[in-house]
Each structure stands twice: as C-alpha cells, then as structure tokens.
Amino acid sequence: MAAYGAAISLKNTIQCILQSSRISLAPPSPQVLQPTFDAMASLQRALLKLDETGYSKIRTKVNALDKRIKEVVWEFEDLLESHCTNQILPQLETERDHLSFCVDLQSLRQSVDCFVERVTAMEAEYVIELVNMPEEEGEPISSRIDFGGINSEMVGLKEEFEKVRDYFLMEDDGLGDCYALAGMAGVGKTALAKKVFDDPLIQRHFEHRAWVKVGRKCEYGETLRCVLAQVGPNTREQMLRREDYDQEDDKKLVERLQERLRGKKCLVVLDDVWEWDTRLMEDVWEFRETDNLPKQKIRILFTSRLGTEEFPCQEVRLLNEEESRKLLSEKVFDKKDFPPHLEKLGKKIAKKCEGLPLMIITVAELLAKEDKTPQYWTWVAQKQQNSVFVNAYDQISKVLFPSYDYLHQYLKMIFLYLGAFPPYSDIERHSLSHRLSAEGFLEPIGNQTMKDFVAEFTRKLARSYHLVLLESNRKSWFSTNMFRVHSCWQHLCKKEASKIKFLHVLQSCEDVVKDQRRLCAHYNTLFAFKQVHDSIKSDCAPTVRSLLCFGPYHQYPLSIDAMDFKLLRVLDAHKVRFYNIPLEILKLICLKYLSLTCNKDLPLSISNLFHLQSLIILPHMNIKKRGALSLMPMEIWNMQELQRIEVMGRDLPTPSFDATLDKLFCLFGVSAMSCTRQILKRIPNLRSLEIRMEMKPYEDDDDGKQLSGLEHISEELQSLEHMYYRLNYYVVNSKMKYESMVPLSMFPPSLTMLYLCGLGCPWKHMNDIGSLLPNLKALELEHYAFQGPEWDIESKSFLRLERLVIEDTDLVLWRAQHGSLPRLHLLSIRHCYKLQQLDWMRDHTMRRTAIELVECNPLVVDFAKQLRPESLFTVRYHSSF
C-alpha cells in the first residue's frame, strides 16, 4: 500500500538533493545518503512481492506492517527535507541572488544508520509475513452452486444481453468456446449472466447447465465437483459432501465428468473469476479439450471484475439516465413509476448514482424506508453529503474494497490520489501528469515519460481493473471526453486515503487533519475559517506535501499562505485569486508545482523555487497597460528544473548570459516575443508551444504583420526527434482587415499536432503548410484561422492526417482531390453556416472516415450523404434549427 509510494518518494527526494544544480553538498554528504537510497530500492523489491501472491491470501498482517513501514519512511523523509530546508532558508535571506546553496548532511549520519537498520529489519519481517500469509476459507459447494438469490430481471442492457445469448446459440466451429463479461463491481455482470443462463432459448439449446461461484478462492477439485453436482441426477448429494481427496481423485472426477457430458451440450457459468492465468483456469478447460468432448459442445461464460484480452469479452456498461430512473422507481415504488410530485427529484437522485445498479438499488432501499415527501427528496437530491448516499456508499464499500485491496502496488496510491478530485467531474490528464511528477510517489518504468506512464495506468485502471470511467475520443463532437472516478469509488478512496494519512479531503470545519500528508478542498472557502486554518497550522502544516484547491473559482484571496507550510511540494490553487504572489510562497523551496491566479508580475524571488517543475500563473482579468511590456523576470532562467511554463500574458526575457532551460518541454500562453532565435536556442527540448497574439485595439498599423518574426521557428526546432510536437497559434481580437500570409518556415517538419485560430489567411496557404508537414496527424482550424469561400485540397496532400477539425469559417465549398487525406478517420466541421458542398472522391483502399456536421447549412448534409463510395463514409450531423 502506502509503503511502496513512501519508498519511491524518499528515493526521489534523495535524487533531487544529490542531482540539484543549485545545492552544493559538503563532503561526505553524498556518501551519507547512499545507504538510504539503496535501502529504499531493496525495500521496493520486497514490497513488490506482494503482487505475486494470490487473491485468496488474507492481507491483514501484511497491511498492518506496510503501515508501520510507511510511517518510518515518512518520518525520515521529513527529517531529511527539514534538515536541508533549515540550512537553505537562512542563505536565501542573507543574499538574494544565490545560485548555489551549501548543505551539510554529516550530522545526519547517525540518523541514517539507525533508519537503515530499522528498515532492513522491517523488510525482513515483511518477507516472512508474505510467506506465512493465511488462506481464506473456501465457501462450501452448496453455496457455490446456489444461484437462487440472483435476480435475472434486469433494467436496460437489452442489446448486450442479446449479443451474449446469440453468441452461445451459434454453432459455428470457428467460434471461441469461452466468453467473458467484465466490468466494475456492482455493475450487473452476475445478473446479466443469470439472465443468459435462464433464457428459454439457452435452456433448450444446452442439455446441461452449471453455475459455479468462483470468487477469490476456488480450487480445481472444487470446480469439478460444482459442475458434477449439477449435471448428474445421482451425483449432487455425493458432491456436496466435503471429503478429503488427492490428485488421483481429481482425475476420477474428470473421468466422471467426461462420461456425463459425452455427446451433450453444456453451458458452464463461472461467476466472479479473479485470476485468468492460474492453474484453476487451465485445469477447468482441460476437461473439455479431450477427444471425448469436442470443444464446441462445452461453452463457458465468465464474469469478472478484471478485463481480459484472451477471449471475446463484453464490458458491461453503466446504465444510462433513463435506465437508472426506471430502476430506481421500480425498487422504491415496487415496479411503479415515480409519482408526479417526485418525478424530477427522482431523476436527479438516479443521476447522482452514475448508472451503477448496485448503488441505485442500495439508495432505493434506503429511500423506501423514509418519508416520500418532496422536502426529503429535495434534500437527498441536492445536498452533496447526505445520509442516504453516505450510508449507501458505506454499504457497498464492502463489495468494492477487494478490487482496491488486490491492486498492484504501484497503482494503489495513484487510485487513491484520483479519488481526491471533485465528484462528477472529469480529470484533466495533461495537468495530472505534471502534478504527479511533482508529488514524487511515482516512478515511471524504464524510459517512460510521466505522460506515457499516466496514459498506461489510466488504461489499466479503466480497462484491466474497471476502477475509473474513461472515454478517450475527445476530439469527436458526438463523443464524451471522460476521465474520472465514480462517486462510489471516490467515497472509498477518500476514506482509505485519510485513514492511512496519505490524503485528506476537507469536508467541514470539524475535520481532524492530524499528520495528514496531503490536503484537498472541494470548497476553497473552508480555508477562510479560523478553526480550519489553526487546525492545519498546528496539526500537519510542517510536514504536509500538497495543498489542492479543487473547489469552484474563488475571486477573493484566502490566507492559505500563512499556515507555516515548510515542505510543500504541490500548491494547486488556480481556483483561488491572489492580489499578489505571497512572499511566504516564495520561501517554499521544496515546491515543484505552483498553480495560482494573479494579475501582478512575477517577483524576482521566484527563482528561490529552484526545484519548481511546473509554473502556472493565470490572470484574473485580462487588463494591460498601453505600451507596457509584460516580461517574466530574468531570474526565470536560473530555474533549471522547469518542465512547464504557463504564465498567460507574460513573455520570457532574452537571457543576458549563456543560460538554458534544458528540461522545459511545454511553453504555453506566450507571444511571439518569446519565440526569438535567442530564446528558442536556449530551450532545446521544447515539444509543445502555444503562441497567443493579441491584436491591440488602439493600433491598426500592425494588423497585417501579426505573423511577423516567426519565420525562424522551424529552423530552431527542426532538429527535434521527439515522437510528437505540438504547435498552437491563437490570434485574439483579429479584425480580418488584411490578407495575411503564413510564414511557411515557422512550421517544423516534426510537427504532429497543429492548432490555428484567428489568422485570417487564404486557404491556398493551408495547402502549402500541409506539404511541409509530412508527420502531421491532427489539424484544428478555428475562428477564421483561414478564410475564403473554397478550400481545394490537392492530391497527395496530408498523407498522415488522421483528424481534421474546421470550426467557424466562411467556407462554401470544401473539396479533397483524389489521393488526398488517405488516413483521415475524422472530419469534423462545426458552425460553418455558409458551407454548401463537400466534394471528395476516394478509392476503396482508403480507411473509413466519420464526417461530423455540427450547426452547418442543411445543404451540405445532403451532399455528405451522397459521397461515394458510400462504404467509406459515416455521416453524423446535429442542428438546433
């Protein structure tokens, strides 16, 4: 659990100290820390052995020891960082322009020796506990084959049911004999399997049917007995008697099963399977792969919380809003609809359950016991933390918890961290990767970047473990971009994270925050209460690592800087406005992630934050003085750890010395002033660049020069060898008075993603751009990025483009010549009211393309439907008129 993340965090802290260009370690400080680093690496390897144990192992003692190890590691990390901070802060106060700080760790040698000895002993104890982990007791066969309490009456999922049922009714020899139903705990997998099991067509098709509840522990012989108890007229009672048997008895059981099923069709349902690649699964299949049992005769249906790629698999989805409403009304009012005075409130309550049947049923049971009045239901529907939902969350947590408890070590802390985000809201993955990098409890595998690591674990949590909700087709107008934790899981995550002191989400002024490692608020105004302020200051501020303000935007300042934080790494407060950047924040030398809202210039002392990786300063209002230059301080070039700069309305100054920002790969919100040759040469690993050109309302003479000074961008960045490079260019307040010309040399050939907005260039220049970008995969053109009635895309153009979005232009005709756009899978055209015609001829070797027409002229919809060959196009459209 938390010990694994604690070990990684301490390793990262040590590396940060040893490798910092701004810390000068007095000898023999590096040698003092090396034993601790080695001890943490060894501890990691020991902790990872837990992932090799089976799901049937009881982890109570191991988890208790994990907690003790975590506390010891955290205690030493606090000591180490406090020791460094206490030496650096006085040096900051004596001289402002410090480029290097002297730190002596010699006095920690005794503490290091004691810590290493203690952790080594605990590691040995952990390994012993792993070996001696007790097994859960298996359920009796009578309960494993008892499915009488499972209700096969379902609301929704009709298409899914028919798909699974029809799969088992088909006689095609080429079909697989195994099929899986996978999905989140409580989503209705067992009910769907039972509906298939009970279906009359299935009963007529299969002479025998057997239902086996597998669970986290179900052995080979147990499974054979469960099946035999249901396929033989005289074997049930014999199989139900629990007698000792050895491997020889298992072989006899197989022979008896072969005899019973010879020449007959049998459907076996294995419910709640936890392990796909164990001896259990292999041995269960063994009895159907003999000469006497042709495999098309024996079909197996699995249900599991875990995803699989080994067999055909149906992911059981959450219910939609209408299905949720119907299920809730049936359970509360005994198959009757909501009464009229509770209809709207019932819909709101059902929606809050987010489509999870187990949650809907549990809430319905609690509602059925209470007064069915509009006043009470309004309270349930509108109040975030009400007793009905909290009680329901607590009840179903017992069902959900094993999915968390048996997660791989490196995923547990990530999952708890995701639970800190507000309910019913999506998580922005780009910012998440930067935030997690700063948190320090993660370690990408091999040469992975943090972005790649985030992409991998989100996929695993969503597809392999079904613990997060993920819809990744974010560029399609008709698809949702969703990445969040279900509110049921979020409740469990908050409780577990607070219990182990990893993270606490503030709910009220009475919350106990003693020794919490991270603090999060969904209501930022909680910080304004003196009771909360004082509690944080006295109980956890000296060692808290993160402060996450995830509530609604608060336009008035809060005193979150005056709580005596000392070791803070992450301050995510962009939802809180600051009049000035507080001086106390500029003393947080451990800070790696800073995000806030402030209109004032960055102070010179921003370079005190020499560990900072992400600097995000957003404006409260876009107010500028005429003629004034808005520059970041020159000291920004001293911040060698910076990976991301997003300081809207402020530009990088030209360095007066040979400084570089070698680790900076994201630069957002700057103007062309930050894109000079002198500056770009100093950012050699830049991968994402966002340029914002704001037209001045009081000067007209530069309207036709909005792209000047950018011709060299390609020359400076063309040596990039990264897998992707993104360029965004916005022109704000563009007047479109003059015909602009895009300097073609501003686009590096390595570009894979391009976003242009407000340029007002003729469409012919877009073809010139496309010919220079052989690697371009995504192109978005918005708000008159280009103008004119016709865009004629030349043959052999945009050969790798996969996604094209055109929004808000005066296009009348869009034509793609034969041989262009061979890989395009999405053409999305939005708010182009003058567009009348699409002309695109393609050959049959090209890939299928989805065409989206959103709020466009009805004439173009008819043209799109006539595109040929018809098999290569899918047309979807939306119009509000």
Side-chain angles (χ1 to χ4, degrees):
M1 292 174 68
Y4 184 77
I8 292 176
S9 181
L10 181 51
K11 277 177 57 182
N12 287 333
T13 296
I14 293 172
Q15 283 185 317
C16 188
I17 294 171
L18 295 178
Q19 298 174 4
S20 174
S21 61
R22 301 282 295 277
I23 295 179
S24 175
L25 291 174
S29 296
Q31 290 75 26
V32 170
L33 287 182
Q34 191 61 45
T36 303
F37 186 91
D38 296 340
M40 290 301 97
S42 176
L43 178 62
Q44 271 185 271
R45 291 190 291 270
L47 293 170
L48 284 174
K49 292 179 181 178
L50 179 64
D51 295 337
E52 301 171 6
T53 61
Y55 289 104
S56 61
K57 297 290 186 179
I58 299 176
R59 298 186 170 188
T60 306
K61 289 186 177 181
V62 169
N63 289 345
L65 181 54
D66 182 283
K67 180 182 176 182
R68 287 166 44 210
I69 296 173
K70 171 261 298 180
E71 291 171 351
V72 170
V73 175
W74 279 354
E75 181 182 353
F76 181 81
E77 186 176 35
D78 293 343
L79 173 67
L80 175 60
E81 288 194 278
S82 296
H83 182 84
C84 294
T85 301
N86 291 338
Q87 293 189 50
I88 291 174
L89 283 178
Q91 299 177 56
L92 279 177
E93 294 172 357
T94 55
E95 293 186 44
R96 194 191 70 188
D97 297 328
H98 258 294
L99 293 179
S100 181
F101 305 95
C102 183
V103 174
D104 188 355
L105 302 177
Q106 175 64 25
S107 61
L108 289 182
R109 184 182 292 275
Q110 186 174 354
S111 298
V112 168
D113 293 342
C114 180
F115 170 72
V116 170
E117 181 180 353
R118 190 176 180 188
V119 166
T120 303
M122 297 178 84
E123 177 188 326
E125 183 182 356
Y126 187 88
V127 173
I128 293 173
E129 287 292 351
L130 282 179
V131 174
N132 297 312
M133 288 172 69
E135 287 268 354
E136 284 192 354
E137 291 187 9
E139 296 184 40
I141 292 178
S142 58
S143 64
R144 291 191 183 278
I145 65 176
D146 180 14
F147 49 79
I150 302 173
N151 189 351
S152 62
E153 294 184 12
M154 298 180 59
V155 172
L157 302 179
K158 180 181 178 181
E159 293 181 2
E160 289 79 357
F161 159 71
E162 292 177 348
K163 179 180 178 180
V164 178
R165 181 196 61 187
D166 294 345
Y167 182 89
F168 285 100
L169 293 177
M170 287 187 288
E171 297 284 0
D172 187 353
D173 290 350
L175 289 174
D177 47 353
C178 300
Y179 196 94
L181 294 177
M184 185 185 298
V187 80
K189 304 179 294 297
T190 299
L192 180 55
K194 185 61 162 48
K195 188 171 183 178
V196 173
F197 190 81
D198 287 345
D199 185 77
L201 294 177
I202 292 290
Q203 294 187 42
R204 288 196 293 269
H205 187 78
F206 293 96
E207 287 94 336
H208 293 296
R209 294 173 302 132
W211 182 285
V212 183
K213 180 184 176 183
V214 179
R216 294 201 303 279
K217 181 180 181 181
C218 188
E219 299 173 345
Y220 175 41
E222 291 276 295
T223 302
L224 295 178
R225 288 174 178 244
C226 287
V227 176
L228 267 170
Q230 299 172 76
V231 299
N234 303 317
T235 56
R236 180 179 177 88
E237 292 303 320
Q238 183 181 356
M239 293 300 108
L240 289 180
R241 291 196 300 270
R242 292 190 64 90
E243 299 175 350
D244 294 333
Y245 54 89
D246 54 26
Q247 187 64 30
E248 193 66 31
D249 291 320
D250 288 348
K251 292 181 180 179
K252 292 179 180 179
L253 289 173
V254 172
E255 292 173 359
R256 295 179 64 179
L257 194 58
Q258 291 174 354
E259 182 65 28
R260 293 289 183 190
L261 297 181
R262 182 175 290 113
K264 297 179 181 179
K265 298 176 182 178
C266 179
L267 173 65
V268 178
V269 175
L270 299 179
D271 186 35
D272 193 26
V273 174
W274 279 74
E275 296 186 79
W276 296 110
D277 300 318
T278 62
R279 176 180 177 271
L280 167 64
M281 303 307 301
E282 295 170 357
D283 290 347
V284 167
W285 296 340
E286 182 179 312
F287 73 76
R288 60 175 170 76
E289 292 182 347
T290 64
D291 293 336
N292 295 328
L293 293 171
K295 67 178 183 178
Q296 65 266 27
K297 297 287 186 180
I298 310 299
R299 310 292 294 279
I300 300 178
L301 175 62
F302 301 95
T303 75
S304 179
R305 304 180 182 201
L306 309 177
T308 177
E309 296 179 356
E310 296 183 32
F311 331 110
C313 180
Q314 173 70 55
E315 289 197 7
V316 182
R317 64 172 175 84
L318 297 167
L319 303 182
N320 59 37
E321 290 188 19
E322 177 57 28
E323 292 167 343
S324 299
R325 182 204 63 79
K326 184 177 180 182
L327 179 59
L328 184 68
S329 64
E330 284 188 3
K331 296 300 180 180
V332 176
F333 295 99
D334 194 21
K335 297 192 176 182
K336 298 178 182 177
D337 208 345
F338 292 115
H341 65 286
L342 296 177
E343 177 70 24
K344 290 184 178 179
L345 294 171
K347 288 181 179 179
K348 289 183 179 180
I349 294 173
K351 185 176 181 179
K352 287 179 67 175
C353 296
E354 296 186 276
L356 188 66
L358 179 60
M359 181 65 183
I360 297 171
I361 293 170
T362 307
V363 168
E365 291 173 350
L366 294 171
L367 285 175
K369 300 175 183 178
E370 303 292 342
D371 294 334
K372 300 175 181 61
T373 62
Q375 292 79 12
Y376 183 77
W377 279 46
T378 299
W379 177 73
V380 174
Q382 296 181 354
K383 187 173 175 60
Q384 188 64 48
Q385 293 291 323
N386 61 74
S387 60
V388 170
F389 272 81
V390 171
N391 289 341
Y393 290 146
D394 288 338
Q395 287 185 34
I396 70 173
S397 288
K398 299 173 184 177
V399 177
L400 303 181
F401 186 78
S403 293
Y404 162 76
D405 196 28
Y406 290 92
L407 266 178
H408 283 291
Q409 293 275 49
Y410 83 98
L411 290 173
K412 282 188 174 180
M413 308 315 296
I414 300 171
F415 185 52
L416 293 185
Y417 192 81
L418 296 181
F421 289 83
Y424 315 111
S425 63
D426 290 331
I427 302 169
E428 208 284 307
R429 274 172 279 179
H430 178 71
S431 294
L432 178 65
S433 64
H434 292 280
R435 197 182 289 111
L436 287 173
S437 177
E439 290 284 2
F441 59 81
L442 296 184
E443 188 174 57
I445 301 170
N447 295 322
Q448 280 184 321
T449 64
M450 184 58 72
K451 181 177 180 179
D452 295 335
F453 185 59
V454 169
E456 178 187 330
F457 77 64
T458 54
R459 180 188 61 80
K460 282 193 173 183
L461 287 175
R463 305 298 178 224
S464 299
Y465 297 98
H466 300 100
L467 293 178
V468 298
L469 308 179
L470 177 66
E471 291 289 343
S472 57
N473 191 13
R474 61 188 180 89
K475 291 304 179 183
S476 171
W477 189 90
F478 289 93
S479 299
T480 56
N481 175 31
M482 179 172 60
F483 173 49
R484 59 188 171 88
V485 178
H486 193 285
S487 57
C488 299
W489 275 113
Q490 192 203 47
H491 178 81
L492 186 149
C493 287
K494 287 193 296 185
K495 289 187 66 174
E496 186 64 21
S498 182
K499 176 183 175 182
I500 65 175
K501 307 296 185 182
F502 172 71
L503 182 148
H504 181 80
V505 178
L506 291 166
Q507 302 287 349
S508 71
C509 295
E510 287 76 33
D511 280 17
V512 177
V513 296
K514 181 69 173 176
D515 296 331
Q516 290 293 340
R517 205 73 172 176
R518 292 167 182 82
L519 294 177
C520 176
H522 297 166
Y523 305 98
N524 298 333
T525 49
L526 277 172
F527 294 121
F529 290 89
K530 186 177 185 301
Q531 184 177 347
V532 175
H533 182 282
D534 293 345
S535 177
I536 292 173
K537 188 173 181 178
S538 63
D539 291 344
C540 64
T543 57
V544 76
R545 293 311 197 277
S546 304
L547 188 62
L548 311 173
C549 303
F550 288 160
Y553 181 68
H554 190 68
Q555 62 178 329
Y556 301 106
L558 301 172
S559 57
I560 63 174
D561 60 297
M563 299 181 200
D564 293 346
F565 296 116
K566 182 180 179 182
L567 305 179
L568 203 66
R569 294 177 182 173
V570 174
L571 176 55
D572 193 336
H574 73 277
K575 296 290 187 70
V576 179
R577 178 192 177 189
F578 290 81
Y579 290 144
N580 296 287
I581 298 180
L583 293 178
E584 291 300 316
I585 289 179
L586 300 173
K587 295 180 181 179
L588 301 175
I589 59 174
C590 295
L591 207 62
K592 294 185 177 183
Y593 184 100
L594 174 62
S595 175
L596 50 84
T597 296
C598 182
N599 273 77
K600 294 296 181 68
D601 289 338
L602 291 178
L604 302 181
S605 52
I606 190 69
S607 63
N608 290 349
L609 309 178
F610 56 87
H611 287 310
L612 202 66
Q613 298 173 356
S614 295
L615 176 60
I616 306 164
I617 309 294
L618 305 177
H620 171 64
M621 298 180 68
N622 191 15
I623 301 175
K624 296 182 178 180
K625 292 182 180 180
R626 181 170 181 172
L629 292 177
S630 299
L631 296 176
M632 300 177 222
M634 188 67 68
E635 286 74 7
I636 201 82
W637 291 96
N638 296 333
M639 304 173 68
Q640 295 298 300
E641 300 301 317
L642 278 175
Q643 299 174 13
R644 176 187 183 190
I645 295 178
E646 186 175 351
V647 183
M648 305 295 290
R650 304 284 186 269
D651 279 295
L652 285 172
T654 301
S656 57
F657 50 89
D658 193 22
T660 60
L661 293 175
D662 292 332
K663 296 182 180 180
L664 186 68
F665 58 86
C666 295
L667 180 60
F668 296 152
V670 297
S671 75
M673 291 180 61
S674 295
C675 303
T676 64
R677 290 182 184 273
Q678 296 92 328
I679 291 176
L680 291 180
K681 283 181 181 295
R682 311 293 179 87
I683 315 175
N685 294 303
L686 192 63
R687 278 181 276 172
S688 296
L689 175 63
E690 179 185 283
I691 306 171
R692 296 179 69 92
M693 176 67 70
E694 186 168 350
M695 302 305 299
K696 302 173 183 177
Y698 43 81
E699 294 179 12
D700 292 333
D701 58 352
D702 64 349
D703 276 8
K705 304 176 183 178
Q706 55 193 15
L707 292 171
S708 62
L710 298 174
E711 296 85 356
H712 55 275
I713 289 182
S714 176
E715 180 181 339
E716 298 301 330
L717 302 180
Q718 63 183 349
S719 62
L720 290 173
E721 297 180 357
H722 301 292
M723 291 178 60
Y724 68 92
Y725 181 79
R726 180 184 182 106
L727 174 64
N728 293 3
Y729 192 98
Y730 298 78
V731 175
V732 184
N733 302 327
S734 182
K735 300 175 185 177
M736 306 291 175
K737 283 188 176 182
Y738 307 99
E739 181 179 296
S740 302
M741 170 60 187
V742 179
L744 301 182
S745 56
M746 73 179 285
F747 301 106
S750 56
L751 207 63
T752 57
M753 293 178 281
L754 177 62
Y755 175 92
L756 299 173
C757 172
L759 305 183
C761 301
W763 283 107
K764 61 182 179 181
H765 297 316
M766 189 66 251
N767 290 331
D768 296 332
I769 294 172
S771 65
L772 297 173
L773 304 178
N775 299 306
L776 194 66
K777 294 183 178 181
L779 175 62
E780 296 181 45
L781 308 171
E782 295 185 4
H783 306 306
Y784 281 79
F786 291 82
Q787 61 179 327
E790 182 177 329
W791 183 15
D792 192 348
I793 302 177
E794 299 170 353
S795 180
K796 306 300 181 182
S797 295
F798 300 101
L799 297 182
R800 294 190 179 183
L801 195 67
E802 298 175 358
R803 186 176 71 246
L804 173 59
V805 178
I806 306 172
E807 183 170 352
D808 189 18
T809 73
D810 57 352
L811 265 179
V812 177
L813 168 64
W814 182 89
R815 179 187 294 113
Q817 295 184 18
H818 190 273
S820 63
L821 304 169
R823 296 189 183 183
L824 196 72
H825 67 78
L826 174 64
L827 171 62
S828 183
I829 304 179
R830 309 164 188 175
H831 299 278
C832 295
Y833 302 106
K834 295 183 179 181
L835 186 63
Q836 297 182 18
Q837 185 175 346
L838 291 180
D839 188 358
W840 191 6
M841 289 299 298
R842 312 175 75 192
D843 59 54
H844 290 278
T845 62
M846 294 183 177
R847 67 179 300 170
R848 189 177 183 88
T849 300
I851 299 178
E852 299 179 349
L853 298 168
V854 181
E855 303 292 4
C856 292
N857 192 317
L859 291 175
V860 77
V861 176
D862 294 333
F863 262 99
K865 292 179 178 179
Q866 297 171 20
L867 289 175
R868 296 292 181 270
E870 191 177 48
S871 60
L872 292 182
F873 298 100
T874 300
V875 180
R876 293 183 291 181
Y877 57 92
H878 170 81
S879 176
S880 58
F881 56 86

